Amino acid sequence: MATVEEFAHAGASIVAERRGSGTPLYVLVHGIGMGRSVFDDLAHHLRDGEVIMLDLPGYGEAPEPRRVLTIERTADLVAAYLRARVGRPAVVIGHSMGAQIALEVAVRHPRVAERIVLVGPTVDPAARSAPRQLWRLLRDIAIESPRVIARGAREYVRAGPHLRAKFRAMLVHRPEDVLARAGVPALVLRGEHDLVAPPQWCRRIADTLPDGRLREVPGHGHETMIRDASSAARLIREFAREG
């Protein structure tokens, strides 16, 4: 049975959907223009523990904040929710822009995240501009299934009129500047054909993290956790239970 709750902190709100119980505790953080619904399949495959899926401020069912949050402030909000409503360390899994948030949670709130998983992480410094990021995303989407395209389009519409400002907040964040400060085990996960998070960028992330490792999901692109998430979930489960 799932429970859904809204949590407000410092002028912004998230919506959290909780499923299952026990350990590990998985916290799923979506990417730009998305919402928690894109994680339905992944959550199904992570039934070995409790899963919390988030709608970030202004996405999914979460209300628009008065001002678009930075990546750092969004990480602070996620950490505040986990401290107030959960009270135990989590495996924080971020997809795309969500990987930037998961990274900042580990850097800024190390007691909240015991491990992090960065799936299709943005923003590659070699393409830190809106046109380059959009071009990579459009090329990646072109090879995805109609189901992924339809779900993504629906969530982008729900993301509201401030999507450009949200995109800008993603682009100005520099994950490469804080990677070395993430003192928890980290898994960098990319789809074999991911054009948004190319292999050289993901390798750089894994090598810069103090305790990082890189894995690829064969036959998938950037939306590896949306279209048939079983392979990604298997790698995440193995990582979460490492000694």
Side-chain angles (χ1 to χ4, degrees):
M1 178 180 294
T3 62
V4 179
E5 61 181 344
E6 184 174 327
F7 174 78
H9 175 77
S13 299
I14 59 175
V15 171
E17 179 177 338
R18 302 179 68 161
R19 300 182 183 180
S21 61
T23 57
L25 167 64
Y26 302 106
V27 176
L28 311 185
V29 186
H30 62 78
I32 187 79
M34 296 286 108
R36 74 181 194 273
S37 69
V38 301
F39 290 131
D40 281 344
D41 192 48
L42 179 63
H44 172 75
H45 290 288
L46 295 178
R47 289 176 295 176
D48 58 319
E50 181 179 3
V51 177
I52 301 178
M53 305 185 297
L54 302 180
D55 281 338
L56 299 175
Y59 295 96
E61 296 179 337
E64 286 281 355
R66 290 191 299 273
R67 184 174 299 176
V68 171
L69 273 63
T70 63
I71 295 295
E72 293 87 349
R73 280 199 62 205
T74 306
D76 292 345
L77 174 59
V78 171
Y81 165 74
L82 293 175
R83 281 194 298 266
R85 299 290 176 85
V86 180
R88 59 189 177 110
V91 180
V92 182
I93 304 167
H95 173 240
S96 196
M97 178 192 73
Q100 296 172 249
I101 296 165
L103 172 64
E104 287 290 353
V105 169
V107 170
R108 299 165 69 86
H109 307 278
R111 295 184 180 180
V112 167
E114 63 179 357
R115 292 172 180 266
I116 56 173
V117 182
L118 312 179
V119 186
T122 49
V123 174
D124 177 9
R128 185 174 276 122
S129 71
R132 289 183 178 182
Q133 285 293 306
L134 287 170
W135 175 238
R136 285 187 177 186
L137 182 61
L138 289 171
R139 289 170 60 211
D140 191 277
I141 288 174
I143 64 174
E144 289 292 352
S145 69
R147 172 173 173 258
V148 171
I149 294 172
R151 174 165 286 185
R154 182 189 68 182
E155 293 297 339
Y156 266 81
V157 169
R158 294 175 70 185
H162 303 299
L163 189 57
R164 179 178 294 183
K166 296 170 184 175
F167 205 83
R168 189 180 308 117
M170 179 189 79
L171 289 176
V172 299
H173 178 252
R174 298 175 59 89
E176 67 271 23
D177 291 347
V178 299
L179 287 167
R181 293 163 47 199
V184 300
L187 172 64
V188 182
L189 196 59
R190 71 176 298 272
E192 177 188 15
H193 306 304
D194 190 342
L195 300 176
V196 179
Q200 63 271 23
W201 167 232
C202 292
R203 171 52 61 190
R204 176 182 173 185
I205 293 173
D207 289 346
T208 306
L209 288 161
D211 187 5
R213 67 277 281 151
L214 174 63
R215 299 289 185 271
E216 283 195 342
V217 180
H220 283 67
H222 190 59
E223 306 304 330
T224 182
M225 294 199 303
I226 300 174
R227 177 175 58 87
D228 185 13
S230 58
S231 296
R234 176 179 55 80
L235 293 170
I236 292 169
R237 290 196 307 268
E238 292 173 358
F239 169 68
R241 295 188 179 278
E242 284 181 3

